[in-house]
Amino acid sequence: MAGTLRPARTKQASEPGPDGRAELGLLQVIGADGAAAKTVEPELPVEDLQRMYRTMVLIRTLDERALKLQRAGRIGFYVSCLGQEAAQVGSAQAFEERDWIFPTYRDPAIALHRGIPVVELLRQCFGNARDRVRGRQMPVHYAFREIRFVSISSPIGTQLTQAVGVAHAARIRRDPVVVAAYCGDGATSSNDFHAGLNFAGVWKAPVVFLCVNNQWAISCPSAKQTASETYAAKAVAYGMPGVRVDGNDVLAVYRATKEAADRARRGEGPTLIEALTYRMGSHSSSDDAARYRPSEEWEAWKAKDPIDRFRRYLARRRAWSEDFEHEVVAGASAEVQAAIEEAEGTPVPAIETIFTDVYAEMPPHLREQLEELRRAEAAGRGEEEKGEFPL
Amino acid sequence: MAGTLRPARTKQASEPGPDGRAELGLLQVIGADGAAAKTVEPELPVEDLQRMYRTMVLIRTLDERALKLQRAGRIGFYVSCLGQEAAQVGSAQAFEERDWIFPTYRDPAIALHRGIPVVELLRQCFGNARDRVRGRQMPVHYAFREIRFVSISSPIGTQLTQAVGVAHAARIRRDPVVVAAYCGDGATSSNDFHAGLNFAGVWKAPVVFLCVNNQWAISCPSAKQTASETYAAKAVAYGMPGVRVDGNDVLAVYRATKEAADRARRGEGPTLIEALTYRMGSHSSSDDAARYRPSEEWEAWKAKDPIDRFRRYLARRRAWSEDFEHEVVAGASAEVQAAIEEAEGTPVPAIETIFTDVYAEMPPHLREQLEELRRAEAAGRGEEEKGEFPL
Amino acid sequence: MAELTVLQAVTDALRTEMRRDDRVVVFGEDVGKNGGVFRATEGLQKEFGEERCFDTPLSECGIVGTAVGMALYGIRPVAEIQFLDFIYPAFDQIVSEAAKMRYRSGGEFTCPMVIRAPYGGGIRGGLYHSQSSEAYFCHTPGLKVVIPSTPADTKGLLLSSIRDEDPVIFLEPKRIYRTVKGEVPEGDHPVPLGKARLVREGSQVTLIAWGAMVPVCEKAAAEAAAKGIDCEILDLRTLVPLDEAALLESVRKTGRAVVVYEAPKTAGFGAEISAILAEKAIEVLEAPIVRVAGFDTPFPYTLENLYLPDARRVLAGIEKAVGF
Amino acid sequence: MAELTVLQAVTDALRTEMRRDDRVVVFGEDVGKNGGVFRATEGLQKEFGEERCFDTPLSECGIVGTAVGMALYGIRPVAEIQFLDFIYPAFDQIVSEAAKMRYRSGGEFTCPMVIRAPYGGGIRGGLYHSQSSEAYFCHTPGLKVVIPSTPADTKGLLLSSIRDEDPVIFLEPKRIYRTVKGEVPEGDHPVPLGKARLVREGSQVTLIAWGAMVPVCEKAAAEAAAKGIDCEILDLRTLVPLDEAALLESVRKTGRAVVVYEAPKTAGFGAEISAILAEKAIEVLEAPIVRVAGFDTPFPYTLENLYLPDARRVLAGIEKAVGF
Ligand SMILES: Cc1ncc(C[n+]2csc(CCOP(=O)(O)OP(=O)(O)O)c2C)c(N)n1
Ligand SMILES: Cc1ncc(C[n+]2csc(CCOP(=O)(O)OP(=O)(O)O)c2C)c(N)n1
Ligand SMILES: [Mg+2]
Ligand SMILES: [Mg+2]
């Protein structure tokens, strides 16, 4: 019938072929064997490639240790990004220092890649007195002003409209800034996804939306999240290009992101990139994916590990050796270990941190409440009651 | 580049050609000369066609009179649907009695077409003691249970998720009910548009979404509302078919709606229909479109009047005559006139209507407040201060 | 009678009502196969099938909006919001739609539905997994607001909420989800809405509380008793409509009131309790109405135990009232 | 000095601040060419161009979310919400994001921004063009809430709000947009946030009000004076942070308080005023703290004049307090 726009294809998560033209338009650079499709292989200096590899190993090392800390009750909660390292590092590599990043809780590698030391992350996870966010947020809710890595929030999706606001403001000020706005597949259902992409389309805001499709939102699989063919296809609704990329292929992610960032910087507007990957762990330390997730799916994705894949590529380019590996792994372990020791040894934040930063200046009623609490504390503490965190 | 979905076309509001295959996939049945494209002409009995015509004339008559009542200060506010009669009546004709309607404030003709007498609408506009909604809402916010015409709300878009809830509930109950969910072009930017269409897609809910694109949201033209090529294209994001239809062509609207309703009833899920039309009046009695709208645009659309167009079609089918016209117009005027007299002669609602219907049973604190007000009233009224309504 | 936790009582109520009334459906994020992140809906999908217990996309706006629609149609939606902190994307549907549907349509359309949400602090959830925003809903005419503090009340009040003809915000104090256990009658035992519970009789001061603050008050009252102060405790259970009669009766007897709530102090629901007493019982008041509440800050993570009112702070409030 | 309406004072403030600080941008639905549905932004797009005064798509979520982003970047967004009743789709961005950004990031990121919205009854707007939901925002730590009642304060408080380092909800009583006129100083005359205004000195009872209820109180006070009752009137101007000192000083002097607000009574901000007085000034109170407020119902259309507190109802409240 006339006027009908029919979604053309039905498979949600396709297995990419070893070239740049796979099913459902999935862009791929590195094949399973580590060979690159020459037509789409980005030109990156070896040092950059090795730095990317380092970050990927570092975050994996941190994730592993941090989950153990959580199990041991030494930190209260943790979210691992196991399996998603390429999506973070490939995209992070594509942005410039002046660009702004709106990450989710599953994107800590971006902070590392932009130069934040592990200890800063662990101070936050321990919520201690040296934590940038002063022990106010649950673990993994980082904020780093100097790398324009904007404060992570728990409510899903809220960063997406904010990213558009930053981009629009930068344009008004004539600053050649591009904004990276990350979100998960679940977040595409949020109010802010819709408003953010719509505003970005109308305003031609310099934003790259990066939907890291790990195929699950806690226990909700993509098939129950949306009937859209792909997440990239949602771009059509906002008049912007939609790009689908193999999220376990760090170079494909880099390439797609770089092109989108370049477009944005040229004033040609926003892009939505869907990076197809897989959440290899449970949702968080409070979740048990075994309750709802078929293990075959996990097995299949295990074979596509993004670090292994990138290592094979580096080896082919002679940018990797056993010695290099050893140095990278040992370096990562040492940094994480030292960071844990520092972070765990740091005391909890001072009482007044409950009351500061609510406003730029503490108003009288908060001063009064702080004094009240100080008096009560002076009179002696009650015993601590400790809750159990389920998510 | 691989994986890029590029929006293909750029014109927002195209002039349809006289066949069923116009630009941007705009479905059309009746040409400017009143001739129908035979391949797409629906088979509707003459009585139905005439009844549709009657409703269109009736709503136009009511709109004209009601705007005058507003100008004269006899009602407080009014919203006309001038120019959009075909979109309402063509779609209303496609639904069955058991189907549910979620209208906007600009869809009163649907209530008329489903058998509600004009006087019911005017009681509401006068907010009098016989008003179904007991004088609680501004004019044009109707609600009619017996025709499943759900209470109209001012916040834009909220009906869209609700419609999906009704549809899903009906499916759970195995009732072959279809739900019509109307919204304007501006409403496509709302949170509920996104959530509603997304849930409908995932749940395959039996809903027909009717986006009546009159090209303006108060002073905001479509180009500032979205960068999407068309509103119909937004369907792609939700995995449902999107259909674009000439909204000034009552038969094209009927045809597209009927097909979508049939699909829904067969369990094949939702459809998004964009009916392209034009808001011929100002946004409401509080608005002055001359402040922001180019008059040439208005002139161009004046030539496409949906009632004139339908009249030409009926005449060609010998379903229209001067006598018939006279009877229809006179009947409409008489009904409206009688309704005004009744509605204006009816007193305001009783004091207790402020407190009833907040809950099924009036709780103690409301009983207390009612008694308080009764006592104050018994002590004598203060003078009325009257506001001016700007929107 | 069975010994259940608060959480088990939620599940028991849902199961009981789903068995009794086939119009009842339960849905939200992760409530199906996963049984909810707190396991409140554990086993329901298995027993009642995917049509009566189902997952939704990640949109509270969609959850509540579709719930309103289901209620309009005549089935009985019980929607779960995973944490009360995440209800705000649905705020418009709640305050503009569910709360006003009956009124604005002159009763042509109604919204009997329940929104369940775990709320409050005590699980080290930080800013976004700890909030107590009941006051927003209490200030919204058309909504009922129900908060249990015991397993038996959890079951009984939830049964009544599902049967109520109006939208009910049913807030579950997650801090005591697993830590508080109690006898819960088996089968169909609704507890009526709008009635407070006298937790403890006393003569010198009334402690007014709800949710997880009730056990805190009990502890404080025990400590106060050791110091020779006799506290009465009123668990409001339903905040709207409020059992004003019980409130006034108790304070007219004791002449003193301490209102305890964990939400930020300013404009919290405890302010309403104070205001009612100051308007209707001032002549009996022998002391300031003391509020022991959360501070007017977002909810902190590491120091949450300092943020939350504890027995010690409640006791200080009691002493302030009694020593006046 | 010029004689301006409240509405003209809004425009004057925006224009003044946009001239002074080129980081200030004004946006929202219909604020550009159309100058806003109330004309509050009339002429701004013409003077400052589309980059500094612009329309948005129909999404309050988008308006506030992008405003948060603009504030993060360092420009000064002043977002208009067409009616306060339509702010709820943006509620999450306001309470979860703008209000908590500074706190949750340890001050790494901040949100200096203003959300302006016309609010309140008196223009025959029915359920959805009349609401006074200031209490929701007052109960949200991290937000400031400002409500002027005169043209001079409108200008001065709006200037201060735009310069403030934190998010400000700036509510404009639309009922008096065009009906209240007054002298407004030309140029840059900010009025500090956090300070109440003593509208009228009196000795027997303090009327506490804000927004469009201030002129209602003035009328009631005049009528009370005719009956020999001497009222003091305090216009709070900033609800958060509250000028508690001025409140306590006045009530300590008069010994009686009547709180007047048009929002639904239950858990409205007036309850907080009562609660503060009952906690901190009970020893001076010679009468019940009376609240004269909107009823606990949605806002009705035809009978709005019965719903809104008027001088007559305020006077009844005064007599209740004074006659006690
Ligand atoms: C508004 C809101 N609703 C619910 C939640 C609870 N929640 C936390 S993470 C999550 C799933 C997110 O899925 P996705 O966006 O795919 O990101 P992922 O965790 O897979 O990286 C949910 C439902 C939340 N944080 N915010
Ligand atoms: C949530 C919300 N925001 C703003 C408004 C104010 N408003 C009323 S109608 C309207 C425009 C609606 O445009 P559209 O959806 O195209 O419908 P139309 O009026 O053209 O039929 C606006 C912005 C509102 N009613 N609700
Ligand atoms: Mg995911
Ligand atoms: Mg429109």
Side-chain angles (χ1 to χ4, degrees):
Chain A
M1 143 178 192
T4 300
L5 295 165
R6 278 188 207 287
R9 293 155 303 199
T10 47
K11 265 183 74 188
Q12 182 66 38
S14 72
E15 159 89 40
D19 62 289
R21 301 277 180 283
E23 197 184 346
L24 279 174
L26 196 71
L27 176 74
Q28 202 178 61
V29 172
I30 312 179
D33 57 355
K38 292 297 165 204
T39 50
V40 284
E41 185 181 8
E43 284 166 30
L44 275 169
V46 166
E47 308 76 67
D48 283 2
L49 294 170
Q50 290 184 332
R51 210 170 66 80
M52 290 162 78
Y53 186 76
R54 274 180 208 282
T55 305
M56 289 166 75
V57 171
L58 183 56
I59 188 62
R60 187 164 289 184
T61 309
L62 172 59
D63 274 355
E64 216 176 281
R65 286 300 310 274
L67 270 182
K68 283 190 190 138
L69 291 176
Q70 194 282 333
R71 293 277 171 255
R74 291 159 67 188
I75 59 174
F77 174 74
Y78 194 71
V79 171
S80 145
C81 61
L82 186 68
Q84 302 182 202
E85 297 87 353
Q88 296 171 71
V89 175
S91 55
Q93 180 67 28
F95 295 102
E96 301 182 1
E97 214 183 301
R98 62 186 159 190
D99 294 341
W100 282 58
I101 312 290
F102 281 84
T104 79
Y105 50 77
R106 219 181 285 284
D107 303 310
I110 299 169
L112 298 178
H113 202 62
R114 286 171 80 88
I116 298 294
V118 169
V119 69
E120 286 270 13
L121 275 56
L122 280 167
R123 288 172 188 159
Q124 200 283 327
C125 291
F126 278 95
N128 69 27
R130 298 179 74 182
D131 169 17
R132 287 286 181 96
V133 311
R134 303 182 194 214
R136 296 189 185 122
Q137 288 227 69
M138 281 170 61
V140 311
H141 289 66
Y142 311 111
F144 300 110
R145 175 85 211 176
E146 72 272 32
I147 57 160
R148 285 156 296 285
F149 183 96
V150 180
S151 168
I152 295 167
S153 165
S154 311
I156 294 293
T158 49
Q159 71 279 13
L160 298 171
T161 48
Q162 296 170 11
V164 179
V166 166
H168 193 58
R171 271 233 303 192
I172 290 173
R173 303 304 284 181
R174 311 263 181 278
D175 301 337
V177 165
V178 170
V179 182
Y182 288 82
C183 73
D185 44 295
T188 61
S189 296
S190 71
N191 295 343
D192 286 276
F193 178 86
H194 187 55
L197 273 79
N198 192 40
F199 277 53
V202 173
W203 290 350
K204 281 201 153 219
V207 185
V208 180
F209 295 100
L210 281 137
C211 174
V212 178
N213 174 13
N214 64 9
Q215 307 189 49
W216 291 89
I218 310 184
S219 73
C220 185
S222 283
K224 289 189 178 176
Q225 194 63 251
T226 184
S228 179
E229 279 311 286
T230 65
Y231 291 99
K234 290 179 184 276
V236 170
Y238 310 107
M240 67 178 78
V243 178
R244 199 151 188 263
V245 63
D246 181 341
N248 282 17
D249 176 342
V250 70
L251 295 186
V253 174
Y254 167 77
R255 188 188 171 91
T257 310
K258 186 71 170 60
E259 286 185 16
D262 289 348
R263 278 191 72 237
R265 215 177 306 274
R266 287 195 305 268
E268 292 168 27
T271 303
L272 170 61
I273 297 174
E274 170 188 356
L276 180 66
T277 179
Y278 195 78
R279 193 192 79 205
M280 293 303 293
S282 285
H283 172 72
S284 73
S285 57
S286 311
D287 178 53
D288 174 13
R291 290 176 62 90
Y292 53 79
R293 206 166 63 172
S295 60
E296 314 80 64
E297 201 183 272
W298 183 88
E299 298 288 348
W301 280 90
K302 178 110 181 85
K304 301 182 201 171
D305 185 80
I307 297 188
D308 291 348
R309 185 123 144 247
F310 192 33
R311 189 186 306 113
R312 268 172 263 161
Y313 170 81
L314 290 176
R316 280 185 177 252
R317 280 200 55 174
R318 299 189 207 290
W320 180 91
S321 65
E322 293 282 351
D323 280 358
F324 173 72
E325 180 75 15
H326 187 79
E327 182 241 304
V328 170
V329 169
S333 292
E335 182 177 356
V336 171
Q337 182 57 33
I340 292 171
E341 280 161 26
E342 190 227 88
E344 196 161 28
T346 304
V348 300
I351 283 190
E352 52 269 33
T353 61
I354 298 180
F355 302 91
T356 50
D357 291 331
V358 182
Y359 301 96
E361 278 176 48
M362 199 185 293
H365 67 293
L366 286 180
R367 272 202 304 270
E368 182 182 313
Q369 292 175 10
L370 168 57
E371 288 319 314
E372 227 176 87
L373 180 60
R374 281 217 171 101
R375 275 194 305 275
E377 284 307 290
R381 286 286 303 127
E383 86 262 34
E384 295 230 353
E385 287 170 66
K386 212 173 160 180
E388 157 200 20
F389 194 77
L391 191 75
Chain B
M1 139 179 195
T4 300
L5 295 165
R6 276 187 207 290
R9 293 155 303 199
T10 49
K11 265 184 74 189
Q12 184 66 38
S14 73
E15 159 90 42
D19 61 288
R21 300 278 179 282
E23 197 184 345
L24 279 174
L26 195 71
L27 176 75
Q28 201 179 60
V29 172
I30 312 178
D33 57 355
K38 292 298 163 202
T39 50
V40 283
E41 185 181 9
E43 283 166 31
L44 274 169
V46 167
E47 308 77 68
D48 283 2
L49 293 170
Q50 290 184 332
R51 208 170 68 77
M52 290 162 79
Y53 186 75
R54 273 180 209 282
T55 305
M56 290 167 76
V57 171
L58 182 57
I59 189 60
R60 187 163 289 186
T61 309
L62 171 60
D63 275 354
E64 216 176 281
R65 285 301 309 276
L67 270 183
K68 282 190 191 139
L69 291 175
Q70 195 282 332
R71 294 276 173 255
R74 289 159 68 187
I75 60 175
F77 175 73
Y78 195 71
V79 170
S80 146
C81 61
L82 187 67
Q84 302 181 201
E85 297 86 354
Q88 294 172 72
V89 175
S91 55
Q93 180 67 28
F95 294 102
E96 300 182 2
E97 215 182 300
R98 60 187 161 189
D99 294 340
W100 282 57
I101 313 290
F102 281 84
T104 79
Y105 49 77
R106 218 180 286 284
D107 303 310
I110 299 169
L112 298 178
H113 202 62
R114 285 172 81 88
I116 298 294
V118 168
V119 69
E120 286 269 15
L121 275 56
L122 280 167
R123 287 172 188 158
Q124 200 282 327
C125 290
F126 279 94
N128 69 28
R130 299 179 73 184
D131 168 17
R132 287 286 180 96
V133 311
R134 304 185 194 212
R136 295 189 187 123
Q137 288 226 68
M138 280 171 61
V140 313
H141 289 67
Y142 311 111
F144 300 109
R145 176 86 209 176
E146 72 271 34
I147 58 161
R148 287 156 294 286
F149 183 96
V150 180
S151 169
I152 295 167
S153 165
S154 310
I156 293 293
T158 49
Q159 71 280 12
L160 298 171
T161 47
Q162 295 170 12
V164 178
V166 166
H168 193 57
R171 272 233 302 194
I172 291 174
R173 303 304 284 181
R174 309 263 183 278
D175 301 336
V177 164
V178 170
V179 181
Y182 288 82
C183 74
D185 43 294
T188 61
S189 296
S190 71
N191 295 343
D192 286 276
F193 178 86
H194 187 54
L197 273 79
N198 192 40
F199 277 53
V202 173
W203 289 350
K204 280 202 154 219
V207 184
V208 181
F209 295 100
L210 282 137
C211 172
V212 178
N213 173 13
N214 64 11
Q215 307 189 49
W216 291 88
I218 308 185
S219 73
C220 184
S222 283
K224 289 189 179 176
Q225 194 63 250
T226 184
S228 179
E229 280 309 286
T230 64
Y231 291 99
K234 290 178 185 276
V236 169
Y238 309 107
M240 66 177 79
V243 178
R244 199 152 189 262
V245 63
D246 181 341
N248 283 18
D249 176 342
V250 70
L251 295 186
V253 174
Y254 168 77
R255 188 189 170 89
T257 310
K258 186 72 171 59
E259 287 185 15
D262 289 348
R263 278 190 72 238
R265 214 176 309 273
R266 288 195 304 268
E268 293 168 27
T271 304
L272 170 61
I273 297 175
E274 171 189 354
L276 179 66
T277 177
Y278 196 77
R279 191 191 81 205
M280 293 302 294
S282 285
H283 171 73
S284 73
S285 57
S286 309
D287 177 52
D288 175 12
R291 288 177 62 90
Y292 53 80
R293 206 166 63 172
S295 60
E296 315 80 63
E297 201 182 272
W298 184 87
E299 297 289 347
W301 280 89
K302 178 108 183 87
K304 302 181 200 172
D305 185 81
I307 298 187
D308 291 348
R309 185 123 144 246
F310 192 32
R311 189 187 306 112
R312 267 172 271 174
Y313 170 82
L314 291 176
R316 279 184 178 254
R317 283 199 53 173
R318 300 190 206 289
W320 180 90
S321 65
E322 293 282 351
D323 279 358
F324 172 72
E325 179 76 14
H326 188 79
E327 182 241 304
V328 170
V329 169
S333 291
E335 182 177 355
V336 171
Q337 182 57 32
I340 292 171
E341 281 162 25
E342 190 226 88
E344 197 161 27
T346 304
V348 299
I351 283 189
E352 51 269 33
T353 60
I354 297 180
F355 302 90
T356 49
D357 292 331
V358 181
Y359 300 96
E361 278 177 48
M362 199 184 294
H365 66 294
L366 285 180
R367 273 203 304 271
E368 182 182 314
Q369 292 175 10
L370 169 57
E371 288 318 315
E372 228 176 86
L373 180 60
R374 280 219 172 99
R375 275 195 304 276
E377 284 306 290
R381 288 285 303 128
E383 85 262 34
E384 296 228 352
E385 287 169 65
K386 212 173 161 180
E388 155 201 20
F389 194 76
L391 192 77
Chain C
M1 282 285 196
E3 167 111 330
L4 299 184
T5 62
V6 169
L7 195 52
Q8 289 165 331
V10 171
T11 318
D12 190 22
L14 293 172
R15 196 188 305 112
T16 303
E17 197 59 9
M18 288 175 90
R19 285 181 184 163
R20 203 189 65 88
D21 181 350
D22 75 354
R23 297 170 311 160
V24 177
V25 295
V26 167
F27 57 99
E29 293 156 12
D30 307 293
V31 302
K33 199 159 182 189
N34 199 32
V37 297
F38 287 99
R39 311 288 173 249
T41 56
E42 176 95 55
L44 298 182
Q45 189 174 76
K46 207 161 190 180
E47 177 170 351
F48 301 99
E50 279 220 47
E51 261 190 8
R52 297 197 48 210
C53 176
F54 49 95
D55 291 331
T56 66
L58 207 172
S59 166
E60 289 74 15
C61 174
I63 293 171
V64 178
T66 57
V68 169
M70 294 180 214
L72 287 172
Y73 192 74
I75 70 175
R76 293 272 165 165
V78 182
E80 174 175 307
I81 297 295
Q82 204 160 79
F83 285 79
L84 182 58
D85 316 61
F86 302 139
I87 204 167
Y88 308 125
F91 205 70
D92 193 35
Q93 278 292 339
I94 298 171
V95 310
S96 302
E97 299 293 320
K100 296 180 174 57
M101 185 63 77
R102 180 189 292 279
Y103 195 76
R104 78 171 193 228
S105 73
E108 300 265 303
F109 296 94
T110 64
C111 264
M113 58 185 272
V114 175
I115 299 175
R116 291 178 44 242
Y119 90 105
I123 63 156
R124 307 260 295 166
L127 276 89
Y128 297 111
H129 297 82
S130 308
Q131 292 169 37
S132 299
S133 47
E134 65 274 15
Y136 295 151
F137 306 102
C138 295
H139 186 50
T140 306
L143 301 179
K144 296 186 176 178
V145 181
V146 178
I147 306 184
S149 78
T150 68
D153 278 353
T154 298
K155 176 172 179 179
L157 291 167
L158 185 48
L159 291 176
S160 296
S161 296
I162 301 175
R163 291 174 204 176
D164 200 83
E165 292 301 324
D166 290 300
V168 176
I169 308 292
F170 190 88
L171 302 182
E172 301 165 4
K174 60 179 170 300
R175 177 190 192 172
I176 58 172
Y177 254 167
R178 296 186 176 105
T179 56
V180 169
K181 280 192 187 150
E183 294 291 309
V184 176
E186 271 157 64
D188 186 14
H189 287 275
V191 170
L193 305 189
K195 292 274 166 239
R197 178 173 70 98
L198 192 61
V199 178
R200 175 191 171 116
E201 277 196 75
S203 59
Q204 285 175 278
V205 55
T206 304
L207 312 185
I208 299 124
W210 52 94
M213 290 297 108
V214 173
V216 170
C217 286
E218 290 182 277
K219 199 167 155 204
E223 290 175 22
K227 295 189 173 193
I229 305 172
D230 188 21
C231 300
E232 176 144 317
I233 303 176
L234 201 62
D235 173 2
L236 294 181
R237 298 202 292 194
T238 304
L239 273 51
V240 177
L242 181 70
D243 190 349
E244 203 179 282
L247 172 69
L248 291 173
E249 190 190 347
S250 174
V251 176
R252 288 209 174 103
K253 179 175 79 178
T254 62
R256 292 181 168 85
V258 175
V259 191
V260 182
Y261 55 109
E262 52 177 301
K265 183 174 189 182
T266 293
F269 190 68
E272 178 62 28
I273 301 299
S274 296
I276 290 173
L277 294 174
E279 189 156 14
K280 298 191 170 167
I282 196 130
E283 67 281 5
V284 307
L285 286 173
E286 295 172 33
I289 305 172
V290 176
R291 289 186 288 167
V292 179
F295 302 118
D296 285 313
T297 77
F299 198 101
Y301 172 71
T302 305
L303 302 180
E304 86 163 342
N305 286 323
L306 294 182
Y307 180 91
L308 283 171
D310 55 12
R312 191 175 48 119
R313 275 176 61 208
V314 175
L315 189 61
I318 293 169
E319 285 171 341
K320 188 168 162 192
V322 174
F324 187 75
Chain D
M1 283 284 197
E3 167 111 328
L4 300 183
T5 63
V6 169
L7 193 53
Q8 289 165 333
V10 171
T11 318
D12 190 22
L14 294 172
R15 195 188 305 113
T16 302
E17 197 59 7
M18 288 176 89
R19 285 181 184 162
R20 203 188 66 87
D21 181 351
D22 75 354
R23 297 170 310 161
V24 177
V25 295
V26 166
F27 56 100
E29 293 156 12
D30 306 293
V31 302
K33 200 160 183 188
N34 198 33
V37 298
F38 287 100
R39 311 289 173 249
T41 55
E42 176 95 55
L44 298 182
Q45 189 175 74
K46 206 160 190 180
E47 178 170 351
F48 301 100
E50 279 220 45
E51 262 191 8
R52 298 200 43 214
C53 175
F54 48 94
D55 291 330
T56 66
L58 206 172
S59 167
E60 288 73 18
C61 173
I63 292 170
V64 177
T66 57
V68 169
M70 293 181 215
L72 287 171
Y73 192 74
I75 69 175
R76 293 274 165 164
V78 182
E80 175 175 307
I81 298 293
Q82 204 161 79
F83 285 80
L84 181 58
D85 317 60
F86 302 139
I87 204 166
Y88 307 125
F91 205 70
D92 192 35
Q93 278 292 339
I94 298 171
V95 311
S96 302
E97 298 293 321
K100 297 179 173 58
M101 185 64 77
R102 180 189 293 278
Y103 194 77
R104 79 171 192 227
S105 73
E108 300 266 301
F109 295 93
T110 64
C111 263
M113 58 184 272
V114 176
I115 299 176
R116 292 179 41 242
Y119 90 105
I123 63 157
R124 306 261 294 167
L127 276 90
Y128 297 111
H129 297 82
S130 307
Q131 292 168 36
S132 298
S133 46
E134 65 274 15
Y136 295 149
F137 306 103
C138 295
H139 186 52
T140 307
L143 301 178
K144 296 187 177 178
V145 182
V146 178
I147 306 184
S149 78
T150 68
D153 278 353
T154 298
K155 176 172 178 179
L157 291 167
L158 184 48
L159 290 177
S160 297
S161 297
I162 301 175
R163 290 174 205 175
D164 200 83
E165 292 301 326
D166 290 300
V168 176
I169 308 292
F170 189 87
L171 303 182
E172 302 165 3
K174 59 180 172 297
R175 176 190 192 172
I176 58 171
Y177 254 168
R178 296 186 177 104
T179 56
V180 169
K181 279 191 186 148
E183 294 292 308
V184 176
E186 272 157 63
D188 186 14
H189 287 276
V191 169
L193 305 189
K195 292 276 164 236
R197 178 174 69 97
L198 191 62
V199 179
R200 176 191 169 116
E201 278 196 74
S203 59
Q204 285 176 277
V205 54
T206 303
L207 312 185
I208 299 124
W210 52 93
M213 290 296 108
V214 173
V216 170
C217 287
E218 291 183 277
K219 201 169 153 201
E223 289 175 23
K227 295 189 172 193
I229 306 173
D230 187 22
C231 301
E232 177 144 316
I233 304 177
L234 201 63
D235 173 2
L236 295 180
R237 300 203 291 196
T238 304
L239 273 51
V240 177
L242 181 70
D243 190 351
E244 202 178 282
L247 172 68
L248 291 172
E249 189 189 348
S250 174
V251 175
R252 288 210 173 103
K253 180 175 78 177
T254 62
R256 292 181 168 87
V258 176
V259 191
V260 183
Y261 55 109
E262 51 177 303
K265 185 176 188 180
T266 293
F269 190 69
E272 177 63 27
I273 300 299
S274 296
I276 290 172
L277 294 174
E279 189 155 14
K280 298 190 170 169
I282 196 130
E283 67 281 7
V284 307
L285 285 173
E286 295 171 34
I289 304 171
V290 176
R291 289 186 290 166
V292 179
F295 302 118
D296 285 313
T297 76
F299 198 101
Y301 172 72
T302 304
L303 301 181
E304 86 162 342
N305 286 322
L306 294 182
Y307 180 91
L308 282 170
D310 56 10
R312 193 174 47 119
R313 274 176 62 206
V314 175
L315 190 60
I318 294 169
E319 286 172 340
K320 188 168 162 193
V322 174
F324 187 75

